[in-house]
């Protein structure tokens, strides 16, 4: 069952020196496949040129040229350049954020540098690096084995063969890579997964020169599928485009027939089309999701799949591990029990360990890995090496013969050793106390005695393990651990303190309507003790692994409604628990770190992997990766996810509200026989307010005070639900009524058409800025959040007011905008009308109770 090998080429742990690795990286380039390059200025300009709004602007410019109005045509060209600049800034900001995310999501590699183990980004692996491979790792580059123990890799990505392939070092180190596939090969390939075992390998090819690189160039052209809300937005824009096109054609015909001026009729139709087309919606969505993922990364949460941002606000259940997520993952060997006596190692003298406990620590160490990755194993190794240093209980020259891993049927592991001076094999076992009791075939009285001690230690929050030993004559080893004659040695208890940030984070998540379920392999008493410490609801109601195994799927579906602690669980249990929760209609987020967690991570609505201690396969199966492995980061991610969705709703409400008066004031004057209020240049000016407001102001808007006091959003909730559309429509209608009144009164008193247009347009600008202020929150009055930090808001408001003053009082610009000069009384009227629009918007929010869950 165990085969080991090593190439006799000297100590492989020296690896490369850092300066040598840097030189090779500069020479060969990064170890990565070709990726799609960010669009440059010309590509963005070409993209803008294909947009409907750009085509409408070109048509307007052509008509102005035919009318002989060079000034208007030149101004439209200037607006086109401004829009291209804004689009470029938005896209550059989004792509820069996504590039940062790609850097963070790059697979990691453990290598030897300067004779030490170092964890580096996979893209920095170079030719000649020594890779340290372990179960669950994704191989970073093509390499040949130097040493290996029970090593097998999944090469299905390259060969299509799902069965793991065994790997063994070659007697002579190869100079060139072989082909993927085939048994007992010394080669491991970039992108393959270590299915079992461990080893070291020297890199022979990186980047495009790997087997994956040679066949993977097509990956550069892969386009990610749009998310649900992106598809929803695209459908809305398409429908509005068809509606706007038809209505614009109708207005053009109506204008031409009633006034006989067909060039201006076409201009009126194009103006209406520009007013209706919500071209900012797709940009807003892309920017929000891209920058939202970047903001999550700033809070130590990496977004691997964008749809997870949509689901976070809907999560109703968080299933989490205990170790390293709720606790600090800083295991210390705290308490030991042997021969009827206990010893607290936290209080004992560092140099004085009674002989009674020597054998217990000796076999605790032998039952684990010599080079452990697990924090629990590391804690045992650290204390044992210190306490037993210089004694006969440390066996660095013993050879590992075989190992029996932990299984669902038996929560214990054994390792078989050969001592140079002994005839028999020595077997060390360690695992769950009840499993070790079973292996030792203890009498009922002894089982009860030791079980009581295990419960006592577990009730103190310790993770308790039993330890046993056995001897076995040389020869063929048994197939199961039960065939060894084990002798019980004692119990060890490991402490892992609760993270300080966890209790308040759990309280916050429960206030937000999310239920927390802890799934752990610990003893029931340990699990309930930790659950109580962190403030878990119903912490004393639990289901242990053996009971869970006996439950039918229907019974589990019923029990999972009110049980929040699952202990003595194995990774396979997580999938059953999540399936039961989903069957009950819950939206489930789950954490995991091991290879066996991958199916459950995939099954959960939101899979969350550990970035620090998690395996590559777990990270790749997950939607989110916690870069600091801290539970509080999950709650932070939920808060950010809810804020993203809420801010999208605010932005879309504003888009609806601000477009309604623009559309109606483009249509109604034609129907009433009034002079046109809005011309293309006016629409473009308003777009310079609307676009940055949507894509910058609302994206940067902080969370509302009640964001984490609302229950989760129902799954599948549309961005354009009834409340969003109704709120935007009512606010827009209030602005339209004010505009119609101001423009109509202006036309019927002694003002000229140009003065009436200037007055109404000023009201429209002020009302649009007012809509931005009132849309910042659905649950709070705009005055109460006026001081809330949002630098972009005040830059845009200041710029809009400054530019408005410029076009009202600079003669050349005033003429281009077809405005007349406004007097003091006009400005007072405009300000009062703008304030009435703000008051009406706030009244709509309160009257229709739009402050409920959104």
């Amino acid at each position: 069952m165990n085969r080991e090998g090593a190439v006799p080429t000297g100590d492989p742990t020296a690896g490369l020196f850092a300066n040598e690795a840097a030189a090779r990286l500069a020479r060969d380039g990064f170890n990565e496949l070709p990726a799609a390059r960010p669009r440059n200025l010309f590509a963005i300009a070409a993209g803008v040129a294909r947009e409907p709004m750009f085509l409408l602007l070109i048509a307007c410019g052509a008509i102005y040229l035919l009318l002989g109005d060079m000034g208007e045509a030149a101004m439209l060209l200037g607006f086109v350049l401004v829009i291209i600049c804004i689009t470029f800034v938005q896209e550059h900001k989004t792509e820069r954020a996504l590039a940062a995310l790609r850097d963070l999501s790059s697979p990691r590699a453990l290598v030897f540098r300067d004779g030490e183990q170092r964890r580096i980004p996979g893209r920095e692996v170079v030719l000649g690096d020594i890779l340290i491979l372990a179960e669950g790792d994704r191989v970073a580059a093509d390499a040949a084995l130097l040493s290996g123990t029970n090593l097998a890799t999944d090469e299905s990505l390259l060969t299509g063969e799902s069965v793991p392939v065994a790997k063994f070092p070659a007697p002579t180190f190869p100079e060139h890579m072989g082909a993927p596939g085939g048994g007992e090969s010394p080669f491991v390939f970039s992108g393959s997964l270590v299915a079992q075992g461990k080893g070291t390998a020297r890199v022979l090819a990186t980047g495009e020169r790997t087997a994956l690189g040679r066949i993977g160039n097509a990956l550069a052209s892969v386009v990610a599928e749009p998310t649900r809300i992106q598809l929803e937005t695209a459908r809305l824009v398409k429908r509005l485009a068809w509606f706007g096109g038809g209505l614009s054609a109708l207005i053009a015909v109506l204008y031409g027939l009633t006034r006989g001026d067909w060039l201006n009729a076409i201009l009126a139709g194009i103006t209406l089309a520009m007013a209706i087309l919500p071209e900012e919606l797709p940009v807003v969505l892309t920017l929000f999701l891209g920058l939202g993922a970047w903001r999550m990364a700033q809070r130590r949460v990496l977004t691997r799949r964008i749809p997870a941002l949509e689901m976070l606000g809907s999560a109703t259940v968080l299933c989490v591990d205990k170790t390293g997520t709720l606790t600090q993952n800083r295991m210390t060997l705290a308490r030991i029990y042997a021969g009827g006596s206990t010893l607290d190692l936290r209080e004992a003298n560092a140099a004085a360990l009674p002989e009674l406990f020597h054998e217990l620590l000796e076999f605790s160490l032998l039952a684990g890995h010599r080079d452990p990755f697990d924090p629990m194993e590391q804690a045992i190794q650290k204390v044992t090496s210190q306490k037993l240093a210089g004694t006969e209980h440390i066996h660095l020259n013993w050879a590992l013969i075989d190992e029996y891993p932990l299984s669902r049927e038996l929560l214990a592991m054994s390792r078989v050793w050969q001592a140079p001076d002994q005839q028999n094999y020595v077997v060390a076992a360690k695992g769950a106390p009840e499993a070790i009791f079973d292996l030792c075939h203890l009498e009922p009285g002894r089982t009860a005695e030791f079980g009581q001690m295990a419960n006592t230690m577990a009730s103190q929050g310790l993770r308790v393990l039993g330890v046993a030993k056995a001897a076995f004559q040389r020869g063929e080893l048994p197939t199961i651990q039960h065939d060894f004659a084990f002798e019980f040695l004692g119990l060890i208890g490991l402490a892992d303190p609760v993270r300080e940030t966890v209790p308040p984070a759990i309280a916050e998540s429960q206030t937000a309507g999310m239920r927390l379920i802890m799934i752990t392999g610990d003893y029931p008493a340990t699990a309930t003790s930790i659950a109580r410490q962190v403030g878990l609801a119903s912490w004393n109601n639990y289901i242990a692994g053996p009971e869970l195994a006996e439950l039918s799927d229907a019974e589990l579906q019923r029990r999972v409604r009110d049980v929040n602690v699952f202990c003595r669980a194995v990774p396979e249990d997580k999938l059953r628990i999540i399936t039961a929760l989903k069957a009950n209609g819950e939206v489930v987020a789950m954490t995991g770190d091991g290879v066996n967690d991958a199916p459950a991570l995939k099954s959960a609505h939101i899979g969350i992997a550990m970035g620090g201690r998690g395996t590559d396969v777990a990270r790749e199966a997950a939607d989110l990766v916690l870069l600091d492995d801290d539970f509080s980061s999950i709650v932070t991610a939920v808060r950010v996810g809810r804020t993203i969705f809420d801010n999208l709703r605010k932005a879309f409400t504003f888009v609806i509200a601000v477009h309604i008066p623009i559309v109606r004031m483009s249509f109604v004057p034609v129907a009433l026989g009034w002079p046109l209020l809005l011309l293309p240049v006016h629409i473009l000016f308003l777009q310079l307010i609307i676009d940055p407001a949507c894509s910058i102001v609302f994206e940067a808007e902080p969370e509302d005070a009640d964001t984490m006091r609302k229950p989760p959003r129902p799954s599948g909730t549309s961005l354009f639900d009834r409340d969003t559309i109704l709120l935007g429509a009512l606010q827009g209608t209030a602005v339209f009524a004010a505009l119609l009144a101001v423009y109509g009164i202006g036309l019927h008193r002694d003002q000229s058409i140009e003065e009436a247009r200037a007055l109404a347009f000023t009201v429209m600008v002020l009302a649009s800025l007012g809509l931005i202020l009132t849309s910042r929150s659905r649950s709070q009055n705009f005055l109460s959040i006026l001081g809330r930090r949002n630098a972009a808001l005040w830059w845009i408001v200041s710029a809009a007011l400054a530019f408005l003053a410029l076009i009202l009082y600079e003669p050349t610009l005033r003429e281009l905008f077809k405005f007349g000069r406004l007097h003091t009384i006009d400005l007072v009227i405009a300000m009062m009308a703008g304030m009435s629009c703000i008051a009406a918007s706030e009244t709509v929010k309160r009257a229709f109770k739009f402050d409920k869950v959104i």
Side-chain angles (χ1 to χ4, degrees):
M1 282 182 287
N2 176 61
R3 292 181 62 180
E4 299 190 26
V7 178
T9 56
D11 182 13
T13 61
L16 298 176
F17 290 107
N19 58 351
E20 185 181 6
R24 295 187 183 193
L25 186 64
R27 181 192 68 193
D28 300 331
F30 286 112
N31 174 39
E32 57 189 4
L33 298 180
R37 294 180 179 178
R39 296 198 299 168
N40 58 28
L41 178 59
F42 297 104
I44 293 175
V48 172
R50 291 191 294 269
E51 293 292 328
M53 180 65 77
F54 181 84
L55 300 177
L56 291 173
L57 289 172
I58 295 298
C60 287
I63 292 174
Y64 277 124
L65 288 176
L66 291 174
L67 291 173
D69 196 335
M70 296 295 294
E72 288 283 356
M75 176 161 282
L76 288 178
L77 177 60
F79 273 118
V80 169
L81 294 176
V82 171
I83 289 174
I84 289 177
C85 289
I86 291 175
T87 305
F88 176 76
V89 170
Q90 290 172 337
E91 292 217 11
H92 179 65
K93 190 174 183 181
T94 302
E95 293 204 3
R96 189 172 57 186
L98 294 176
L101 292 178
R102 283 193 293 269
D103 290 342
L104 284 172
S105 62
S106 171
R108 305 173 306 162
L110 187 61
V111 301
F112 282 112
R113 290 277 174 89
D114 297 325
E116 298 178 350
Q117 293 186 19
R118 292 185 185 176
R119 182 78 64 177
I120 64 172
R123 66 196 300 264
E124 295 179 8
V125 170
V126 299
L127 195 68
D129 257 328
I130 305 298
L131 300 177
I132 303 168
L133 304 174
E135 182 177 331
D137 286 349
R138 184 71 67 180
V139 180
D142 284 5
L145 284 184
L146 294 170
S147 65
T149 302
N150 291 333
L151 190 68
T153 62
D154 178 357
E155 297 177 356
S156 56
L157 184 67
L158 295 168
T159 65
E161 177 58 54
S162 60
V163 178
V165 180
K167 300 292 180 179
F168 301 98
T172 303
F173 189 79
E175 295 182 2
H176 305 287
M177 288 295 298
E184 303 194 3
S185 160
F187 302 110
V188 291
F189 296 89
S190 175
S192 62
L193 177 71
V194 180
Q196 68 177 41
K198 60 182 180 179
T200 59
R202 189 186 301 277
V203 174
L204 295 179
T206 60
E208 296 182 4
R209 293 168 291 279
T210 63
L212 182 63
R214 289 194 296 272
I215 64 175
N217 287 323
L219 291 174
S221 61
V222 172
V223 178
E225 293 185 5
T227 67
R228 179 183 61 82
I229 56 177
Q230 285 174 327
L231 292 173
E232 183 183 351
T233 303
R235 284 194 297 268
L236 177 65
V237 171
K238 186 176 181 180
R239 290 170 184 168
L240 288 175
W242 281 106
F243 172 75
L247 188 60
S248 299
L250 178 63
I251 286 298
V253 171
L254 180 62
Y255 191 103
L257 291 176
T258 56
R259 308 190 189 190
D261 186 348
W262 287 99
L263 277 179
N264 276 305
I266 295 174
L267 198 62
I270 291 175
T271 301
L272 180 58
M274 291 170 63
I276 292 176
L277 186 65
E279 85 291 342
E280 59 275 329
L281 290 185
V283 176
V284 168
L285 196 57
T286 301
L287 193 75
F288 267 59
L289 295 178
L291 289 182
W294 178 77
R295 290 184 189 280
M296 295 266 277
Q298 296 298 101
R299 304 195 184 193
R300 311 297 294 163
V301 181
L302 174 63
T303 306
R304 288 184 52 82
R305 296 179 180 86
I306 292 296
L309 295 178
E310 304 175 31
M311 292 297 298
L312 276 171
S314 300
T316 58
V317 176
L318 302 178
C319 296
V320 299
D321 294 317
K322 176 188 74 67
T323 303
T325 307
L326 301 181
T327 61
Q328 296 178 14
N329 201 29
R330 294 178 181 172
M331 288 282 190
T332 57
L333 191 54
R335 198 172 184 85
I336 53 180
Y337 168 83
S341 299
T342 60
L343 178 67
D344 193 325
L345 295 175
R346 293 165 294 187
E347 300 174 358
N349 188 301
L353 180 69
E355 181 70 28
L356 176 66
F357 300 101
H358 283 197
E359 192 175 37
L360 173 63
L361 289 187
E362 173 188 2
F363 279 86
S364 298
L365 183 62
L366 287 172
H369 296 280
R370 273 185 171 159
D371 185 19
F373 175 73
D374 186 275
M376 181 175 64
E377 299 278 6
Q378 290 175 345
I380 294 172
Q381 185 182 73
K382 179 181 178 181
V383 171
T384 303
S385 299
Q386 291 174 349
K387 299 290 185 180
L388 301 182
T391 72
E392 72 277 13
H393 298 289
I394 301 295
H395 308 291
L396 298 179
N397 60 340
W398 285 19
L400 178 66
I401 302 302
D402 208 342
E403 55 187 356
Y404 295 80
L406 194 78
S407 68
R408 181 185 182 93
E409 292 74 24
L410 185 66
L411 298 177
M413 60 183 292
S414 298
R415 293 170 72 81
V416 182
W417 297 90
Q418 174 63 63
D421 56 349
Q422 294 186 27
Q423 184 68 26
N424 293 337
Y425 291 141
V426 177
V427 187
K430 178 174 61 185
E434 64 271 23
I436 296 298
F437 300 160
D438 186 30
L439 283 177
C440 295
H441 306 290
L442 296 176
E443 296 178 357
R446 301 292 283 171
T447 299
E449 176 188 347
F450 297 145
Q452 180 61 42
M453 177 54 63
N455 279 326
T456 300
M457 294 170 67
S459 65
Q460 299 167 1
L462 302 179
R463 180 164 191 176
V464 183
L465 299 176
V467 181
K469 71 172 185 176
F472 195 82
Q473 290 184 350
R474 289 193 183 186
E476 185 177 353
L477 291 170
T479 57
I480 60 174
Q481 299 177 69
H482 272 287
D483 289 342
F484 293 113
F486 280 110
E487 175 189 348
F488 181 72
L489 295 178
L491 301 169
I492 59 175
L494 296 108
D496 187 10
V498 171
R499 292 179 184 264
E500 293 181 0
T501 57
V502 166
I506 286 180
E508 183 178 14
S509 65
Q510 292 176 161
T511 301
M514 293 182 294
R515 177 180 161 209
L516 184 73
I517 293 178
M518 185 177 77
I519 306 175
T520 177
D522 279 337
Y523 214 61
T526 305
T528 54
S529 174
I530 296 297
R532 176 179 52 78
Q533 291 179 47
V534 300
L536 202 64
S538 305
W539 56 267
N540 56 348
N541 185 14
Y542 66 87
I543 294 178
E547 181 185 357
L548 177 61
E550 295 177 359
L551 293 177
S552 67
D553 290 343
E555 290 173 326
L556 178 59
Q557 187 176 334
R558 178 180 58 81
R559 292 287 304 280
V560 81
R561 291 191 177 100
D562 53 18
V563 173
N564 292 336
V565 177
F566 291 85
C567 50
R568 279 292 179 254
V570 294
E572 292 81 1
D573 291 332
K574 293 182 179 180
L575 183 58
R576 286 196 67 203
I577 294 168
I578 286 169
T579 302
L581 288 167
K582 290 170 66 177
N584 287 339
E586 305 283 4
V587 177
V588 185
M590 185 214 125
T591 66
D593 56 9
V595 174
N596 292 334
D597 289 335
L601 288 171
K602 278 285 189 183
S603 176
H605 295 101
I606 308 166
I608 305 171
M610 301 296 108
R613 70 179 191 275
T615 59
D616 285 344
V617 68
R619 286 191 292 271
E620 291 173 13
D623 303 293
L624 304 174
V625 178
L626 300 186
L627 300 179
D628 56 6
D629 294 0
D630 189 346
F631 172 78
S632 63
S633 296
I634 302 176
V635 181
T636 297
V638 171
R639 186 188 304 111
V640 173
R642 288 189 177 192
T643 301
I644 290 170
F645 199 90
D646 288 355
N647 286 347
L648 273 172
R649 281 273 186 80
K650 296 170 188 175
F652 288 170
T653 299
F654 168 73
V655 169
I656 294 170
V658 80
H659 273 83
I660 283 178
I662 297 174
V663 171
R664 290 183 176 178
M665 291 307 294
S666 299
F667 174 81
V668 170
V670 176
L672 296 178
W674 293 358
L676 292 178
L677 168 61
L678 296 175
L679 302 174
V681 68
H682 304 138
I683 302 295
L684 287 172
F685 179 87
L686 292 170
Q687 287 297 333
L688 293 181
I689 298 176
I690 296 171
D691 285 356
C694 294
S695 60
I696 299 176
V697 172
F698 289 111
E699 193 283 326
E701 188 64 27
E703 67 197 58
D704 286 332
D706 61 348
T707 295
M708 294 298 284
R709 293 201 295 267
K710 297 180 291 190
R713 187 181 67 251
S715 177
T717 301
S718 171
L719 273 174
F720 304 100
D721 64 347
R722 183 189 66 87
D723 282 357
T724 298
I725 295 173
L726 181 59
L727 176 57
L730 290 173
Q731 289 180 332
T733 299
V735 174
F736 164 71
L739 284 173
L740 188 64
V742 168
Y743 190 48
I745 293 171
L747 290 176
H748 289 86
R749 61 188 195 124
D750 294 336
Q751 286 184 305
S752 64
I753 294 174
E754 288 76 13
E755 289 174 337
R757 179 182 288 127
L759 176 59
F761 186 79
T762 301
V763 173
M764 182 172 285
V765 171
L766 295 177
S768 298
L769 296 177
L771 285 173
I772 296 175
L773 296 176
T774 60
S775 297
R776 293 178 69 197
S777 175
R778 290 191 181 186
S779 58
Q780 295 173 271
N781 185 284
F782 87 101
L783 290 174
S784 65
I785 59 172
L786 208 56
R788 193 159 73 182
R789 184 176 57 84
N790 190 330
L793 168 67
W794 301 113
W795 276 106
I796 289 172
V797 169
S798 301
L801 292 176
F803 198 15
L804 177 63
L806 196 63
I807 62 177
L808 287 176
Y809 293 103
E810 204 287 317
T812 304
L813 289 175
R814 187 167 66 233
E815 183 178 348
L816 287 173
F817 274 77
K818 302 294 189 290
F819 286 166
R821 183 179 179 85
L822 293 185
H823 305 285
T824 303
I825 185 62
D826 298 319
L827 294 177
V828 172
I829 292 172
M831 292 179 63
M832 291 180 64
M835 292 174 63
S836 70
C837 292
I838 293 176
S841 296
E842 290 293 327
T843 301
V844 167
K845 285 198 303 188
R846 289 195 300 272
F848 289 86
K849 300 186 184 303
F850 288 108
D851 58 337
K852 64 179 184 293
V853 180
I854 57 174

